[in-house]
Each structure stands twice: as structure tokens, then as C-alpha cells.
Amino acid sequence: MKRLSALALGLILCVVWAPAVCAQARNPEGSVLVGRITFIDGQLLRYVYDEKDWVATVKDAPFGLEDAVYSSDTGKAEFKLPDGVWVRTGSDTQIQLLVLRDDLTEIDVASGTVRFYNKSQNTLIKTTTPFGYVMARPGSAFDLYVGDGSAEVISLDGAVDFVLGDGKARYSVKAGGASIISDGRVTVQGDGQVDAAWDGWNLKREELWAQRVQVKGESIDNLPADLRYDAYDLDRNGKWEKVNYEGRYQKLWRPTAVAPGWQPFTGGRWTVWYGDNVWIPEEPFGYVTHHYGNWVYVDSAWYWAPPVKVRAGRIGRSASWYPGRVSWIHSDAHVGWVPLAPAETYYSHNYWGPRSIAVGAGRGGVGISRLANAGHAVVVARSSLYSVNSYTGVRVQGVNRNTILSNYKAAPVIGDRVMPNYSSIRNRYIYDVNLAHLAAKPHQAVVDRINMNLAAAPRGRGAISAVAVQRSLARMSRAQPLRDPRAIQRVQKPRISSRIVPENMVHTPRSQVQFIEHTLKTQGKRPQPRPGMN
């Protein structure tokens, strides 16, 4: 029997141990696609499936397949997906990522206000609601207002299609024209106006990103195209130097806006996501440099090797996302991690991409003595691993290579063998220790929608493609919205009930809870031209 390649073995273990991760799309190197939360104002709550509970998430946390979030009554958030789709959510908004592929993004909007930008060249957006779904092609943008009894679709750029709940008819919504309002049975024409305050905030966010891209320093030429938005933070916080690493001169990035003695994977915290420890950085450059590429130690300084696509044998071979490329070590009282060099294998519960092995069938970790950066381990007391927001002030001092080799053991992943009480540590799921307790959470009705989506053909989603979705859309007949004033009066503009309740009322029957209802558009205005659609 021929020996399996690392990629093939990883994919097999992925299917066995983490089918949800496997269902995500992969880039040409076989890496899993993962999105990013790039902005939060107010509070954004994330549903933790393992705990059947909610936690407050933070900026620069990952956003991947099946992730479900709910924003507070004053909350706003922004999500950037690797296939070119950008999503912004308003207050009292519930979304869930159902499909993330290089050609298709499917997101369920159960309630609230959401703006979608399709900045890709080949990705389709499918947005489901309780009343039907929206299809958006590359180069388009649209607003979606989903209330308790109806939804409204407004095109901002390009044409989008709204498909009625039964899937038998589709309605075209054109930029600058009328909107579509539907209750899932009847579809009528709306005035095409967006909420003024919501539109103004979105315009400011687009202008901010456009300005970041226009400021072109050296980083833009050293990053792959899908990371170009991170060039701004690298230019402001470090510089590129030609470094001799492993007998070859390479262009590497060195952080300069850091304290003396700084090293990677110290300013931030670990939290568990999809069963693996994911790094939540505190530095403005932390996301791209801790989830892509590798850190190397040369001439008493830390350098980041970007994930550029170059010929075999060079560091930084692909733009693959990883939760945090480290190797774990432990003793009776401490736990630590070692930043992995480019050629070293990353062990985790799930397969994430090249140089990644999913731990499952008795596979072990890499020997400590073979780690290039073993002398630069970050070591903390076991009790500190999930109880602080940053390890800068709690790491054990005086740890060197000899100490590590003499007193520590290697561990492929963190679990009960490394931390005896691991399974009972709820704090391993939180993103900010200051927000560990939530006085108010989404009502159980919110979770009912999340579970319904998970139950709807979970295995089939992995095989969905943009081509299949387009074919299904093409078979539907085109329809025109009703313009009869009586019909328009019957289908009310979206109104929403806030589902955030005190913690002790989460499981109270809906009939006994007085949800606060409000309109989704306070003051209407004609949408302005969209900047940044490139």
C-alpha cells in the first residue's frame, strides 16, 4: 500500500474528527478558509456549541463555518471573509455562516440590519432569511433589513435577486431603484431608501479601508493579494529587512513599535475555537503575523516571514490560515508554547493546511529538541493559560533551552493530559476575561434558528458550489412585485424585537417575555454611490 501524503492524511483525519471544518473551502494549497472580525462597537455575542451558551467575542477573532453571532441593542460589527465578501451588522442582528468557499458564501440573517459587499471577482453571495433568500454576484452590494414579519432588500451596486420563500419565483432588485419587501408569501415594491445613520457609518468604514489601501509602503509588495489590507498596519509598526536565514537572504518584516524583549505569542491570549487553541492578538499587526506565515529568530531579533507563494524550499510557501502555529510543552505546574519555524509541523485537533497534522489516531507531537525556537518558549502557570488577556506580565522568567529540555515534555495539543482539569475550564472559550460573565444573553428563540440551520442538510453544504446555485436560480421564473397600495399596506416594513434578555429569562417561554420592538429604519434616505468596490 502506498504511503499517504500529509495532505491526504490530514483530510482523512479532518473528516473523522471535525467534519464542520472539513466542509469549508480550501485554497490551492488545501488550507481552510477562515474569516475575521475586523471591528466591534458595543457587544457582539458568539454562540459556543460545546457549551450551549454565549460568550462576548472581540475584534481580530476568527469567523468561520457555522459561527453564529448576535449583536447587542447598540452593537455594530464588521466581518472580512477571505473570498472577497465583506459583511457589516447593525444592532439586534443575528447571523450565521453556513457556507464559506472560494466561489460561494452563504450566510443566514435571522434578524436585524446587514450590509453585504461582494468585492470578489468570482464569488456568489447567498443570504437566507425566514422569508426567502438573496443572490448577489461579484461587484454588487446590498442592504438587508430582516424583521419579525418581513424582510426588505435594497441594492446599492449592481443587481441582486430575491427568491421568495418557496423558491418558485425570483425578483430583480436594481441599484438606485425600488426595493423589495416580502413576508415570505407576498412580495411588494418598497421605496428603496436606506437608514441614514446606518448608511453614514458604512460609508465611513469604506472610506477608512480605501485610505488604508491607498497608503502604499513596502509591505504591499511583500504580501499576497488577499492580505493587502494588512499592509497598512505592517508599514506603521515595523520595517522590512534583508535577512540571511538558513543560508538564504530573504525579505522579512521586523516589528519596531514594540517594547524591548518583545516576542510573538505573548501580547494576547489563547482561546478555544473549533476545538483548537486560537491566538487572539493585542497588537495592531497581530492578526496577520500570527495567523499567516511564520516567526523566525535571527541575530537576536524576531522577524516575520510572510506567506508569499514562491518556489519550493523557500520560507512562507502559501497564504494559509492557522489558529496559531506553535508547539505545546508542559510540566507538572506549567504550560508553554514554542513558535514554529517555517518547516516545522503544526499539530492540532483539525487539519488546517500544509505542514498541519490533525491529531487523532494516536499521532504524537514533535520532539522539543528538534524545535528551532525551543529556547524561546513562552511559559506560564497552568492557571494563567485561560485567565488573563495577555501573557506579557505572567510568563515565567529565566526559561532557556536547557531548562525546557530538562524539565518539560512535548504535547501535540492541549487537553486533559496537559491540564488535568482542562475539560471543566469554561474560560477556555472566552475572548476577554473582563467579559467572562454576561448579565444578559439572547433568548432561546435565537438558538432555535441556529439549530434549525445546522439540521438542514449539514453534510450537503460541503458539496454546494456557485455553479449549482446559479443553475438553480436560472430555472426560476422572474416575477414582478405587487404595486397595489392595498397589498403594500398588508406587507409591513420590517420591525424587529430585541431578543437580548436577562440571563435568568433565557429559557422563559416566548409568550411570557415582553420583547422590545422597534423599526429597523429610523430615517430613510436615498443610498449614495458606494466607494471601495474593488
Side-chain angles (χ1 to χ4, degrees):
M1 182 177 178
K2 291 185 178 180
R3 188 176 181 180
L4 289 172
S5 67
L7 173 60
L9 179 60
L11 290 173
I12 291 173
L13 290 175
C14 175
V15 172
V16 173
W17 295 97
V21 175
C22 294
Q24 300 193 60
R26 303 175 190 280
N27 66 18
E29 285 75 24
S31 303
V32 174
L33 296 181
V34 176
R36 170 185 178 185
I37 302 174
T38 51
F39 178 87
I40 295 178
D41 182 22
Q43 199 169 69
L44 183 68
L45 306 181
R46 182 196 299 263
Y47 188 66
V48 179
Y49 293 96
D50 290 344
E51 295 284 292
K52 294 182 173 56
D53 203 357
W54 296 84
V55 297
T57 191
V58 296
K59 176 182 177 294
D60 283 341
F63 183 67
L65 187 68
E66 295 182 355
D67 271 344
V69 295
Y70 192 102
S71 58
S72 65
D73 56 358
T74 59
K76 294 186 183 71
E78 179 182 72
F79 307 80
K80 179 178 177 291
L81 303 183
D83 58 0
V85 173
W86 292 59
V87 183
R88 297 199 185 100
T89 58
S91 60
D92 289 317
T93 299
Q94 175 187 348
I95 67 171
Q96 184 176 7
L97 183 57
L98 303 180
V99 175
L100 179 56
R101 297 172 50 93
D102 57 357
D103 63 348
L104 177 66
T105 288
E106 181 177 345
I107 292 181
D108 181 67
V109 179
S111 63
T113 306
V114 186
R115 175 162 295 184
F116 289 87
Y117 289 94
N118 193 340
K119 302 185 182 185
S120 72
Q121 296 182 348
N122 61 354
T123 301
L124 289 181
I125 298 176
K126 180 179 180 182
T127 306
T128 57
T129 76
F131 314 103
Y133 66 86
V134 182
M135 286 294 305
R137 297 171 181 80
S140 60
F142 66 96
D143 266 3
L144 183 58
Y145 301 83
V146 181
D148 298 340
S150 64
E152 182 174 13
V153 185
I154 303 171
S155 177
L156 308 173
D157 268 294
V160 300
D161 288 296
F162 173 76
V163 177
L164 201 59
D166 57 12
K168 295 180 181 178
R170 62 169 170 155
Y171 301 80
S172 181
V173 189
K174 297 181 180 180
S179 56
I180 288 290
I181 304 176
S182 180
D183 61 3
R185 302 178 301 276
V186 178
T187 301
V188 300
Q189 180 175 287
D191 59 19
Q193 293 191 347
V194 298
D195 182 75
W198 167 250
D199 191 57
W201 176 71
N202 275 276
L203 287 173
K204 289 180 180 179
R205 292 299 301 172
E206 283 299 296
E207 289 168 359
L208 173 66
W209 284 107
Q211 290 170 4
R212 287 169 62 98
V213 175
Q214 289 169 5
V215 179
K216 291 183 172 63
E218 197 172 357
S219 297
I220 199 76
D221 296 324
N222 292 300
L223 293 173
D226 52 348
L227 299 182
R228 62 177 180 155
Y229 288 101
D230 296 286
Y232 179 84
D233 288 325
L234 296 181
D235 287 334
R236 284 183 57 116
N237 295 280
K239 61 181 181 178
W240 293 88
E241 298 177 1
K242 204 168 186 179
V243 179
N244 188 341
Y245 180 72
E246 293 190 339
R248 188 179 292 114
Y249 278 95
Q250 315 250 0
K251 217 40 172 325
L252 307 180
W253 181 83
R254 180 171 65 86
T256 56
V258 291
W262 177 93
Q263 80 169 69
F265 295 104
T266 55
R269 69 168 270 127
W270 294 106
T271 192
V272 174
W273 179 75
Y274 267 118
D276 282 315
N277 279 276
V278 63
W279 184 253
I280 307 299
E282 65 176 14
E283 305 99 345
F285 59 84
Y287 187 89
V288 64
T289 59
H290 289 75
H291 292 300
Y292 298 90
N294 298 273
W295 286 95
V296 299
Y297 194 73
V298 183
D299 296 333
S300 301
W302 285 100
Y303 290 88
W304 179 64
V308 293
K309 298 180 180 180
V310 293
R311 67 177 181 271
R314 296 285 294 276
I315 60 178
R317 281 180 286 275
S318 64
S320 302
W321 188 96
Y322 297 92
R325 274 183 52 84
V326 301
S327 186
W328 295 95
I329 60 174
H330 67 104
S331 67
D332 290 340
H334 299 96
V335 62
W337 50 95
V338 179
L340 289 172
E344 293 172 343
T345 301
Y346 171 60
Y347 289 86
S348 50
H349 286 290
N350 306 297
Y351 175 80
W352 295 97
R355 295 290 180 183
S356 166
I357 291 182
V359 176
R363 301 187 64 84
V366 65
I368 300 176
S369 62
R370 290 178 290 178
L371 295 173
N373 296 318
H376 305 286
V378 181
V379 177
V380 300
R382 289 193 309 206
S383 59
S384 295
L385 183 59
Y386 299 117
S387 65
V388 297
N389 283 336
S390 174
Y391 304 107
T392 303
V394 299
R395 61 181 300 192
V396 177
Q397 301 298 318
V399 175
N400 56 39
R401 185 179 182 86
N402 290 333
T403 304
I404 297 298
L405 295 178
S406 300
N407 301 301
Y408 288 80
K409 300 177 183 178
V413 294
I414 297 295
D416 288 322
R417 294 180 62 183
V418 176
M419 300 177 66
N421 61 336
Y422 176 80
S423 299
S424 62
I425 303 175
R426 187 185 182 277
N427 272 12
R428 71 188 190 273
Y429 293 110
I430 66 173
Y431 292 81
D432 186 336
V433 296
N434 299 317
L435 301 172
H437 176 71
L438 298 176
K441 300 177 181 179
H443 187 267
Q444 180 61 36
V446 173
V447 180
D448 291 343
R449 177 78 181 185
I450 294 171
N451 291 333
M452 184 196 73
N453 287 328
L454 291 180
R459 295 185 182 276
R461 286 202 185 102
I464 294 175
S465 67
V467 173
V469 172
Q470 284 182 309
R471 287 174 179 169
S472 176
L473 189 68
R475 289 194 292 267
M476 298 178 190
S477 59
R478 288 193 175 274
Q480 295 295 324
L482 298 178
R483 301 183 182 183
D484 182 354
R486 289 174 297 180
I488 294 176
Q489 189 174 9
R490 286 199 305 269
V491 182
Q492 297 182 354
K493 293 184 178 180
R495 294 180 59 85
I496 190 174
S497 297
S498 175
R499 304 292 184 183
I500 298 286
V501 298
E503 187 178 22
N504 62 357
M505 296 183 64
V506 167
H507 297 288
T508 302
R510 281 192 242 189
S511 60
Q512 300 177 26
V513 180
Q514 291 184 343
F515 296 114
I516 300 174
E517 188 182 45
H518 60 88
T519 59
L520 284 175
K521 289 194 294 185
T522 304
Q523 181 179 357
K525 59 166 282 191
R526 299 301 300 176
Q528 296 181 21
R530 310 293 104 193
M533 287 299 296
N534 52 40

